[in-house]
Amino acid sequence: MAPNEIWLDFEKPIAAVKKQIEDLRALQEAQEVDTSSEIVSLEAKVLKLQEEIYGNLTPWQRIKLARHPNRPYTLDYVEALFHDFIELHGDRRFADDPAMIGGPAFFDNQPVMIIGQQKGRDTKENILRNFGMPQPEGYRKALRLMKIADKFKIPVICFIDTPGAYPGIGAEERGQAEAIAYNLQEMESLEVPTLGIVIGEGGSGGALGIGVCNQIMMLENAYYSVISPEGAAAILWRDAAKAPEAAEALKITAQHLLELGVIDKVIAEPLGGAHQNITDTANHIHEAISQFLQEFGSLSPEDLIRQRYEKFRKMGQFQEN
Amino acid sequence: MSWFKKKEEYTVLRPKQVAKKVEIPEGLWTRCEECQTIIYNKDLETNLNVCSKCGFHFKINPEDRIRYTLDDGSFHPEDQQLRSIDPLKFPNYQKKIDTLHRQNLEKEVLSGVGKINGIPTSIAIMDFRFIGGSMGSLVGEKVTRAIERGIERRIPVIIFSQTGGARMHEGILSLMQMAKTSCAIKELHKQGIPYISVLTDPSTAGVMASYASLGDVVIAEPKAYIGFAGARVIEQTIRQPLPPGFQRSEFLLKHGMLDKVVDRREMKNTLFTLLKLFSGKTCDLGHISAAQTDIMDVNDNICK
Ligand SMILES: [Zn+2]
């Protein structure tokens, strides 16, 4: 077992059998006992458990996977999917926000603009990156980069992964609401294809702030929600511990959002989540981006804007006679 | 829609019959929440629900807002046939909707066209009584239609916000209303149509992070609570007490997030002056006069 493996509560049965297999292997090596038949049967058991557990994930369990400490973040995908990435910094107004990263890079041989929220891998980096919760400067930097992409006619690819926009005194003073609102408005009229991929947490307005795109896709275990399940549970039942029920009620999984017509595609993850095999996950994302660029690359600016307008215009359900 | 061709794919269901509006009898006096002065209700009404002693702005209904803002008899409501539904089968939501509908609060946003000292405007006013003025699909749709009406008729748009943000009960669909309304505002700006956003107490979260922040001019009533995140959430996050006056109109003005704080008693005049200044070159201000023949009747039903 790799030293950095972290098992979630519901994965414990899998971890237990995997531990047994490891012990048997160690025994085999140390004492030259043949344990191979037991190992084979235990490996079959692991597979069966994985299919059972990962094949029936509850929304709350998916959230746990989306927040898994080993989950690949934006920069992991930048490394796996693009080359010649040059990170650009700052909103030219106040500061650089490390919770939002971005810059141009090549996707295959095509220049694109990458934008995404970025979480930290350890405590130190998480403090720097504010746990992936952007300040207003993050949204303003993102828009600055989108306008550069607009100028040079290169597509924009946004990796969405945030618990939400940061709720702080400075963020309020510097217009967190305005920063997000302005992005929603301006993204409508970008003259280049724009793609949003929710790779982990799609935390409300903080996620949407870079999410008004021609297409929205989600990784299989990502979630996208108007409010955190903990927050919803606190309001609904005055009990944040009821977050699993709230997660169910809010319909926040990729599959739900596809059915609601909010997203265009669910991108498959390896069994057990994106972190189990980053290369596989990246390959799936690569295919999705290629398809998107093929489909939208030839549209005129007018068609791109119209498509975007109509896409969001028809969202919502109500009755009318 | 002339500026944009679009397919309409709304969910269309039959509405329920709605009972006639019931007037709830009220007392003769009201105590000011701020200075505790006892005010005679008739005086309060004459003073547009502002405390004459301390200037405290009482929360008011959209119907009152129409009376205080638009010329008498000029309001022509639109989109009144729209009703909220429960798309996610969210716990207790349908029950909540039914209860509110029985109280004749089905509009959620009172929207339509009317005149401010003769200048036609497309107006939308959020109703705080319907789940804290929260924005679900219906609110997003009515606000978007009000914006599109401004574009189509080439008349200025005014939106009064009063809201706790996106409506949890409709999940992601509520979040998407932020995108929908903001895209419409972008089209309005491209067409040169003025949009004035008026923030009233409270205006927060998903609505602030979309159309409410996107006015050419953003004005607020005094001491309105305005922000992105709720004060309690911020306090819990930073584990520090918040500075005095934090997230009030005057605080936002100081930090450059508002153009002006305007007393309710000055609101109509301020809006009128702004419309006069901005609407002349790009709007078609004679446009709605022909469509206004039936306004008097409708207005009688709405504003009494
Ligand atoms: Zn008073």
Side-chain angles (χ1 to χ4, degrees):
Chain A
M1 210 178 293
N4 63 345
E5 264 183 20
I6 295 165
W7 296 97
L8 302 169
D9 279 351
F10 62 90
E11 299 177 299
K12 292 268 155 72
I14 301 168
V17 183
K18 281 201 164 179
K19 178 82 171 55
Q20 282 181 340
I21 295 173
E22 242 175 70
D23 291 347
L24 285 175
R25 286 218 172 97
L27 188 70
Q28 180 159 322
E29 261 172 49
Q31 302 183 11
E32 298 183 358
V33 191
D34 184 13
T35 59
S36 55
S37 66
E38 281 103 336
I39 289 176
V40 168
S41 82
L42 284 176
E43 274 171 344
K45 195 174 166 189
V46 166
L47 213 62
K48 190 163 166 279
L49 276 172
Q50 283 178 325
E51 275 163 10
E52 255 172 48
I53 291 170
Y54 297 130
N56 298 290
L57 289 171
T58 65
W60 181 243
Q61 288 169 337
R62 287 192 200 275
I63 288 178
K64 295 271 196 150
L65 285 174
R67 294 173 178 168
H68 196 289
N70 289 342
R71 190 159 177 95
Y73 300 145
T74 297
L75 282 171
D76 298 309
Y77 292 123
V78 170
E79 196 182 308
L81 290 164
F82 305 91
H83 61 94
D84 288 348
F85 172 63
I86 295 185
E87 187 177 350
L88 304 179
H89 293 274
D91 69 344
R92 300 295 187 275
R93 278 156 175 75
F94 182 76
D96 183 43
D97 183 356
M100 184 82 80
I101 63 106
F106 283 102
F107 177 79
D108 296 333
N109 290 316
Q110 176 170 4
V112 296
M113 182 64 79
I114 305 166
I115 289 158
Q117 289 104 353
Q118 179 66 35
K119 295 179 180 177
R121 195 55 76 189
D122 53 34
T123 307
K124 196 178 152 208
E125 200 197 353
N126 256 324
I127 288 165
L128 173 77
R129 302 217 181 262
N130 203 22
F131 298 85
M133 293 185 281
Q135 306 273 356
E137 296 74 52
Y139 294 100
R140 290 177 181 136
K141 171 168 70 178
L143 186 62
R144 184 173 78 85
L145 302 190
M146 291 179 208
K147 300 260 174 171
I148 294 175
D150 209 36
K151 177 175 178 185
F152 298 115
K153 306 294 163 219
I154 62 177
V156 176
I157 299 170
C158 297
F159 291 95
I160 296 166
D161 189 16
T162 180
Y166 186 63
I169 292 176
E172 294 289 323
E173 288 174 337
R174 300 191 302 277
Q176 187 72 285
E178 190 275 344
I180 293 170
Y182 193 62
N183 277 19
L184 308 187
Q185 171 185 299
E186 292 304 299
M187 287 186 83
E188 189 258 0
S189 278
L190 294 175
E191 299 191 343
V192 294
T194 54
L195 168 63
I197 307 175
V198 187
I199 58 169
E201 296 191 87
S204 197
L208 185 66
I210 56 168
V212 181
C213 301
N214 290 106
Q215 281 208 326
I216 319 283
M217 303 177 183
M218 279 175 79
L219 282 180
E220 192 183 335
N221 296 312
Y223 78 92
Y224 196 178
S225 181
V226 68
I227 184 172
S228 75
E230 291 90 339
I235 295 169
L236 271 177
W237 300 297
R238 300 183 191 286
D239 183 3
K242 291 204 167 145
E245 285 96 313
E248 199 88 45
L250 284 164
K251 306 276 191 287
I252 57 178
T253 67
Q255 198 54 47
H256 279 133
L257 267 66
L258 188 69
E259 284 158 18
L260 286 166
V262 170
I263 63 164
D264 301 281
K265 182 181 278 187
V266 181
I267 302 173
E269 292 184 30
L271 209 57
H275 60 287
Q276 297 290 355
N277 193 330
I278 297 190
T279 314
D280 274 5
T281 312
N283 284 341
H284 295 153
I285 297 177
H286 185 280
E287 202 188 314
I289 296 176
S290 295
Q291 265 181 25
F292 168 79
L293 293 176
Q294 217 163 10
E295 198 178 324
F296 285 80
S298 56
L299 294 188
S300 68
E302 294 73 32
D303 285 345
L304 286 167
I305 295 168
R306 183 179 294 113
Q307 188 272 349
R308 225 177 271 132
Y309 192 89
E310 286 173 359
K311 176 189 182 65
F312 290 98
R313 182 64 187 86
K314 67 187 181 199
M315 285 189 194
Q317 294 181 25
F318 51 88
Q319 69 180 40
E320 177 171 25
N321 67 334
Chain B
M1 195 166 304
S2 50
W3 93 105
F4 238 25
K5 286 201 173 19
K6 60 163 193 166
K7 291 173 231 136
E8 304 211 356
E9 296 177 31
Y10 310 118
T11 302
V12 177
L13 300 170
R14 299 258 137 226
K16 292 197 176 68
Q17 284 294 318
V18 178
K20 283 266 175 237
K21 184 170 175 177
V22 183
E23 289 291 346
I24 301 155
E26 287 178 44
L28 290 171
W29 307 90
T30 301
R31 185 188 293 270
C32 174
E33 293 169 37
E34 188 82 11
C35 72
Q36 311 301 321
T37 302
I38 306 283
I39 314 162
Y40 191 42
N41 279 352
K42 269 194 181 152
D43 293 342
L44 195 57
E45 168 59 31
T46 314
N47 211 30
L48 311 191
N49 274 290
V50 176
C51 174
S52 50
K53 193 157 177 219
C54 75
F56 176 77
H57 283 51
F58 286 82
K59 281 195 178 63
I60 57 172
N61 301 331
E63 289 79 6
D64 290 332
R65 185 75 65 183
I66 291 284
R67 284 192 297 117
Y68 299 162
T69 311
L70 298 181
D71 301 346
D72 280 349
S74 75
F75 181 58
H76 181 90
E78 299 272 4
D79 303 324
Q80 298 208 94
Q81 73 283 16
L82 274 61
R83 298 287 181 275
S84 275
I85 57 169
D86 176 18
L88 306 186
K89 306 275 167 278
F90 196 87
N92 293 322
Y93 184 38
Q94 188 62 54
K95 214 191 289 175
K96 216 168 236 180
I97 293 174
D98 291 342
T99 306
L100 288 159
H101 284 182
R102 276 198 299 276
Q103 296 167 6
N104 289 42
L105 293 174
E106 68 289 336
K107 289 192 269 297
E108 304 189 35
V109 170
L110 185 55
S111 57
V113 291
K115 290 186 174 178
I116 294 183
N117 295 345
I119 299 183
T121 63
S122 174
I123 192 165
I125 303 163
M126 304 184 75
D127 191 341
F128 196 72
R129 296 168 297 181
F130 201 102
I131 316 185
S134 56
M135 174 164 63
S137 300
L138 177 70
V139 170
E141 181 68 21
K142 287 180 88 166
V143 166
T144 304
R145 289 190 191 187
I147 298 162
E148 291 178 340
R149 196 169 293 123
I151 302 172
E152 280 161 27
R153 301 189 189 184
R154 301 205 65 80
I155 54 174
V157 174
I158 297 174
I159 303 177
F160 284 85
S161 292
Q162 186 167 42
T163 173
R167 185 175 300 163
M168 172 179 70
H169 313 68
E170 292 181 32
I172 195 78
L173 296 177
S174 297
L175 190 72
M176 291 302 137
Q177 304 311 307
M178 294 168 61
K180 180 162 106 182
T181 52
S182 301
C183 289
I185 295 287
K186 180 65 186 181
E187 289 301 319
L188 170 143
H189 287 317
K190 283 197 253 181
Q191 297 288 325
I193 304 296
Y195 162 39
I196 299 168
S197 171
V198 185
L199 312 177
T200 69
D201 184 48
S203 294
T204 63
V207 170
M208 270 317 289
S210 58
Y211 59 86
S213 283
L214 297 171
D216 294 298
V217 175
V218 183
I219 55 189
E221 287 192 337
K223 293 186 179 166
Y225 178 69
I226 303 165
F228 174 68
R232 218 178 35 177
V233 172
I234 297 172
E235 237 164 359
Q236 282 165 1
T237 307
I238 63 173
R239 296 196 178 90
Q240 278 170 35
L242 301 170
F246 182 63
Q247 292 182 314
R248 295 285 163 183
S249 305
E250 297 72 18
F251 177 92
L252 272 90
L253 183 71
K254 179 175 157 232
H255 286 279
M257 294 301 145
L258 282 183
D259 288 291
K260 204 168 167 52
V261 176
V262 177
D263 189 293
R264 186 177 293 156
R265 293 162 291 187
E266 290 302 316
M267 189 62 78
K268 181 171 183 175
N269 269 336
T270 305
L271 292 172
F272 173 58
T273 307
L274 284 166
L275 297 189
K276 266 197 302 187
L277 289 163
F278 289 152
S279 305
K281 304 269 185 193
T282 56
C283 290
D284 181 2
L285 301 183
H287 193 86
I288 68 158
S289 55
Q292 279 203 317
T293 45
D294 58 339
I295 280 172
M296 294 303 286
D297 308 339
V298 182
N299 196 63
D300 279 350
N301 294 334
I302 286 297
C303 294
K304 289 287 156 65

PDB file of all heavy atoms in Angstrom, chain A residues 227-247:
ATOM      1  N   ILE A 227     -25.394  25.450  -2.458  1.00  0.00           N
ATOM      2  CA  ILE A 227     -24.990  25.645  -1.063  1.00  0.00           C
ATOM      3  C   ILE A 227     -24.299  24.364  -0.617  1.00  0.00           C
ATOM      4  O   ILE A 227     -24.598  23.287  -1.139  1.00  0.00           O
ATOM      5  CB  ILE A 227     -26.216  25.968  -0.172  1.00  0.00           C
ATOM      6  CG1 ILE A 227     -25.815  26.270   1.280  1.00  0.00           C
ATOM      7  CG2 ILE A 227     -27.244  24.836  -0.203  1.00  0.00           C
ATOM      8  CD1 ILE A 227     -26.973  26.793   2.139  1.00  0.00           C
ATOM      9  N   SER A 228     -23.381  24.445   0.319  1.00  0.00           N
ATOM     10  CA  SER A 228     -22.733  23.227   0.801  1.00  0.00           C
ATOM     11  C   SER A 228     -23.778  22.387   1.527  1.00  0.00           C
ATOM     12  O   SER A 228     -24.703  22.936   2.152  1.00  0.00           O
ATOM     13  CB  SER A 228     -21.587  23.558   1.747  1.00  0.00           C
ATOM     14  OG  SER A 228     -22.094  23.969   3.000  1.00  0.00           O
ATOM     15  N   PRO A 229     -23.678  21.062   1.447  1.00  0.00           N
ATOM     16  CA  PRO A 229     -24.649  20.225   2.159  1.00  0.00           C
ATOM     17  C   PRO A 229     -24.648  20.515   3.659  1.00  0.00           C
ATOM     18  O   PRO A 229     -25.710  20.481   4.288  1.00  0.00           O
ATOM     19  CB  PRO A 229     -24.160  18.805   1.889  1.00  0.00           C
ATOM     20  CG  PRO A 229     -23.310  18.907   0.671  1.00  0.00           C
ATOM     21  CD  PRO A 229     -22.721  20.276   0.672  1.00  0.00           C
ATOM     22  N   GLU A 230     -23.483  20.844   4.210  1.00  0.00           N
ATOM     23  CA  GLU A 230     -23.416  21.186   5.628  1.00  0.00           C
ATOM     24  C   GLU A 230     -24.248  22.441   5.908  1.00  0.00           C
ATOM     25  O   GLU A 230     -24.992  22.509   6.888  1.00  0.00           O
ATOM     26  CB  GLU A 230     -21.961  21.432   6.063  1.00  0.00           C
ATOM     27  CG  GLU A 230     -21.095  20.183   6.081  1.00  0.00           C
ATOM     28  CD  GLU A 230     -20.390  19.921   4.752  1.00  0.00           C
ATOM     29  OE1 GLU A 230     -20.852  20.454   3.719  1.00  0.00           O
ATOM     30  OE2 GLU A 230     -19.389  19.184   4.740  1.00  0.00           O
ATOM     31  N   GLY A 231     -24.089  23.432   5.046  1.00  0.00           N
ATOM     32  CA  GLY A 231     -24.841  24.676   5.191  1.00  0.00           C
ATOM     33  C   GLY A 231     -26.336  24.446   5.067  1.00  0.00           C
ATOM     34  O   GLY A 231     -27.126  24.976   5.850  1.00  0.00           O
ATOM     35  N   ALA A 232     -26.714  23.644   4.078  1.00  0.00           N
ATOM     36  CA  ALA A 232     -28.138  23.365   3.867  1.00  0.00           C
ATOM     37  C   ALA A 232     -28.717  22.618   5.070  1.00  0.00           C
ATOM     38  O   ALA A 232     -29.822  22.925   5.533  1.00  0.00           O
ATOM     39  CB  ALA A 232     -28.328  22.547   2.592  1.00  0.00           C
ATOM     40  N   ALA A 233     -27.959  21.661   5.588  1.00  0.00           N
ATOM     41  CA  ALA A 233     -28.441  20.886   6.744  1.00  0.00           C
ATOM     42  C   ALA A 233     -28.613  21.787   7.960  1.00  0.00           C
ATOM     43  O   ALA A 233     -29.568  21.636   8.732  1.00  0.00           O
ATOM     44  CB  ALA A 233     -27.467  19.750   7.054  1.00  0.00           C
ATOM     45  N   ALA A 234     -27.697  22.726   8.129  1.00  0.00           N
ATOM     46  CA  ALA A 234     -27.785  23.646   9.261  1.00  0.00           C
ATOM     47  C   ALA A 234     -29.047  24.501   9.163  1.00  0.00           C
ATOM     48  O   ALA A 234     -29.718  24.760  10.168  1.00  0.00           O
ATOM     49  CB  ALA A 234     -26.541  24.528   9.322  1.00  0.00           C
ATOM     50  N   ILE A 235     -29.382  24.916   7.934  1.00  0.00           N
ATOM     51  CA  ILE A 235     -30.582  25.743   7.755  1.00  0.00           C
ATOM     52  C   ILE A 235     -31.848  24.895   7.889  1.00  0.00           C
ATOM     53  O   ILE A 235     -32.796  25.258   8.570  1.00  0.00           O
ATOM     54  CB  ILE A 235     -30.558  26.442   6.381  1.00  0.00           C
ATOM     55  CG1 ILE A 235     -29.395  27.432   6.309  1.00  0.00           C
ATOM     56  CG2 ILE A 235     -31.882  27.165   6.130  1.00  0.00           C
ATOM     57  CD1 ILE A 235     -29.129  27.984   4.920  1.00  0.00           C
ATOM     58  N   LEU A 236     -31.826  23.726   7.242  1.00  0.00           N
ATOM     59  CA  LEU A 236     -33.030  22.884   7.187  1.00  0.00           C
ATOM     60  C   LEU A 236     -33.357  22.225   8.507  1.00  0.00           C
ATOM     61  O   LEU A 236     -34.502  22.202   8.942  1.00  0.00           O
ATOM     62  CB  LEU A 236     -32.803  21.769   6.164  1.00  0.00           C
ATOM     63  CG  LEU A 236     -33.181  22.032   4.727  1.00  0.00           C
ATOM     64  CD1 LEU A 236     -32.797  20.842   3.878  1.00  0.00           C
ATOM     65  CD2 LEU A 236     -34.674  22.306   4.600  1.00  0.00           C
ATOM     66  N   TRP A 237     -32.339  21.628   9.106  1.00  0.00           N
ATOM     67  CA  TRP A 237     -32.585  20.811  10.299  1.00  0.00           C
ATOM     68  C   TRP A 237     -31.800  21.300  11.509  1.00  0.00           C
ATOM     69  O   TRP A 237     -31.740  20.634  12.515  1.00  0.00           O
ATOM     70  CB  TRP A 237     -32.229  19.349   9.986  1.00  0.00           C
ATOM     71  CG  TRP A 237     -33.046  18.786   8.858  1.00  0.00           C
ATOM     72  CD1 TRP A 237     -34.405  18.617   8.848  1.00  0.00           C
ATOM     73  CD2 TRP A 237     -32.587  18.320   7.576  1.00  0.00           C
ATOM     74  NE1 TRP A 237     -34.813  18.080   7.646  1.00  0.00           N
ATOM     75  CE2 TRP A 237     -33.719  17.875   6.842  1.00  0.00           C
ATOM     76  CE3 TRP A 237     -31.335  18.226   6.978  1.00  0.00           C
ATOM     77  CZ2 TRP A 237     -33.640  17.355   5.555  1.00  0.00           C
ATOM     78  CZ3 TRP A 237     -31.259  17.716   5.690  1.00  0.00           C
ATOM     79  CH2 TRP A 237     -32.388  17.292   4.993  1.00  0.00           C
ATOM     80  N   ARG A 238     -31.170  22.468  11.368  1.00  0.00           N
ATOM     81  CA  ARG A 238     -30.321  23.030  12.423  1.00  0.00           C
ATOM     82  C   ARG A 238     -29.296  22.019  12.913  1.00  0.00           C
ATOM     83  O   ARG A 238     -29.024  21.896  14.108  1.00  0.00           O
ATOM     84  CB  ARG A 238     -31.175  23.515  13.610  1.00  0.00           C
ATOM     85  CG  ARG A 238     -32.149  24.589  13.186  1.00  0.00           C
ATOM     86  CD  ARG A 238     -32.956  25.161  14.313  1.00  0.00           C
ATOM     87  NE  ARG A 238     -34.028  25.977  13.788  1.00  0.00           N
ATOM     88  CZ  ARG A 238     -33.865  27.191  13.256  1.00  0.00           C
ATOM     89  NH1 ARG A 238     -32.660  27.731  13.223  1.00  0.00           N
ATOM     90  NH2 ARG A 238     -34.883  27.860  12.769  1.00  0.00           N
ATOM     91  N   ASP A 239     -28.759  21.247  11.983  1.00  0.00           N
ATOM     92  CA  ASP A 239     -27.859  20.170  12.354  1.00  0.00           C
ATOM     93  C   ASP A 239     -26.941  19.838  11.161  1.00  0.00           C
ATOM     94  O   ASP A 239     -27.345  19.138  10.232  1.00  0.00           O
ATOM     95  CB  ASP A 239     -28.699  18.941  12.741  1.00  0.00           C
ATOM     96  CG  ASP A 239     -27.821  17.795  13.216  1.00  0.00           C
ATOM     97  OD1 ASP A 239     -26.582  17.973  13.301  1.00  0.00           O
ATOM     98  OD2 ASP A 239     -28.380  16.719  13.503  1.00  0.00           O
ATOM     99  N   ALA A 240     -25.722  20.366  11.224  1.00  0.00           N
ATOM    100  CA  ALA A 240     -24.785  20.163  10.119  1.00  0.00           C
ATOM    101  C   ALA A 240     -24.436  18.687   9.920  1.00  0.00           C
ATOM    102  O   ALA A 240     -23.993  18.281   8.852  1.00  0.00           O
ATOM    103  CB  ALA A 240     -23.511  20.980  10.342  1.00  0.00           C
ATOM    104  N   ALA A 241     -24.674  17.881  10.949  1.00  0.00           N
ATOM    105  CA  ALA A 241     -24.369  16.448  10.853  1.00  0.00           C
ATOM    106  C   ALA A 241     -25.324  15.752   9.882  1.00  0.00           C
ATOM    107  O   ALA A 241     -25.078  14.615   9.466  1.00  0.00           O
ATOM    108  CB  ALA A 241     -24.450  15.804  12.231  1.00  0.00           C
ATOM    109  N   LYS A 242     -26.419  16.419   9.531  1.00  0.00           N
ATOM    110  CA  LYS A 242     -27.349  15.820   8.572  1.00  0.00           C
ATOM    111  C   LYS A 242     -26.969  16.155   7.128  1.00  0.00           C
ATOM    112  O   LYS A 242     -27.798  16.032   6.216  1.00  0.00           O
ATOM    113  CB  LYS A 242     -28.779  16.283   8.872  1.00  0.00           C
ATOM    114  CG  LYS A 242     -29.302  15.688  10.168  1.00  0.00           C
ATOM    115  CD  LYS A 242     -30.813  15.646  10.189  1.00  0.00           C
ATOM    116  CE  LYS A 242     -31.298  14.762  11.333  1.00  0.00           C
ATOM    117  NZ  LYS A 242     -32.527  15.239  11.929  1.00  0.00           N
ATOM    118  N   ALA A 243     -25.725  16.546   6.927  1.00  0.00           N
ATOM    119  CA  ALA A 243     -25.243  16.880   5.582  1.00  0.00           C
ATOM    120  C   ALA A 243     -25.490  15.764   4.561  1.00  0.00           C
ATOM    121  O   ALA A 243     -25.832  16.053   3.408  1.00  0.00           O
ATOM    122  CB  ALA A 243     -23.761  17.253   5.632  1.00  0.00           C
ATOM    123  N   PRO A 244     -25.340  14.495   4.923  1.00  0.00           N
ATOM    124  CA  PRO A 244     -25.613  13.450   3.922  1.00  0.00           C
ATOM    125  C   PRO A 244     -27.038  13.504   3.375  1.00  0.00           C
ATOM    126  O   PRO A 244     -27.252  13.350   2.164  1.00  0.00           O
ATOM    127  CB  PRO A 244     -25.374  12.149   4.701  1.00  0.00           C
ATOM    128  CG  PRO A 244     -24.386  12.523   5.756  1.00  0.00           C
ATOM    129  CD  PRO A 244     -24.744  13.927   6.149  1.00  0.00           C
ATOM    130  N   GLU A 245     -28.016  13.779   4.256  1.00  0.00           N
ATOM    131  CA  GLU A 245     -29.404  13.910   3.792  1.00  0.00           C
ATOM    132  C   GLU A 245     -29.546  15.129   2.881  1.00  0.00           C
ATOM    133  O   GLU A 245     -30.234  15.085   1.862  1.00  0.00           O
ATOM    134  CB  GLU A 245     -30.372  14.048   4.977  1.00  0.00           C
ATOM    135  CG  GLU A 245     -30.633  12.768   5.732  1.00  0.00           C
ATOM    136  CD  GLU A 245     -29.749  12.621   6.975  1.00  0.00           C
ATOM    137  OE1 GLU A 245     -28.506  12.851   6.857  1.00  0.00           O
ATOM    138  OE2 GLU A 245     -30.279  12.271   8.034  1.00  0.00           O
ATOM    139  N   ALA A 246     -28.896  16.217   3.284  1.00  0.00           N
ATOM    140  CA  ALA A 246     -28.971  17.440   2.472  1.00  0.00           C
ATOM    141  C   ALA A 246     -28.339  17.207   1.096  1.00  0.00           C
ATOM    142  O   ALA A 246     -28.852  17.683   0.080  1.00  0.00           O
ATOM    143  CB  ALA A 246     -28.283  18.597   3.190  1.00  0.00           C
ATOM    144  N   ALA A 247     -27.239  16.473   1.077  1.00  0.00           N
ATOM    145  CA  ALA A 247     -26.565  16.179  -0.190  1.00  0.00           C
ATOM    146  C   ALA A 247     -27.516  15.445  -1.134  1.00  0.00           C
ATOM    147  O   ALA A 247     -27.551  15.695  -2.339  1.00  0.00           O
ATOM    148  CB  ALA A 247     -25.308  15.360   0.055  1.00  0.00           C
TER     149      ALA A 247
END
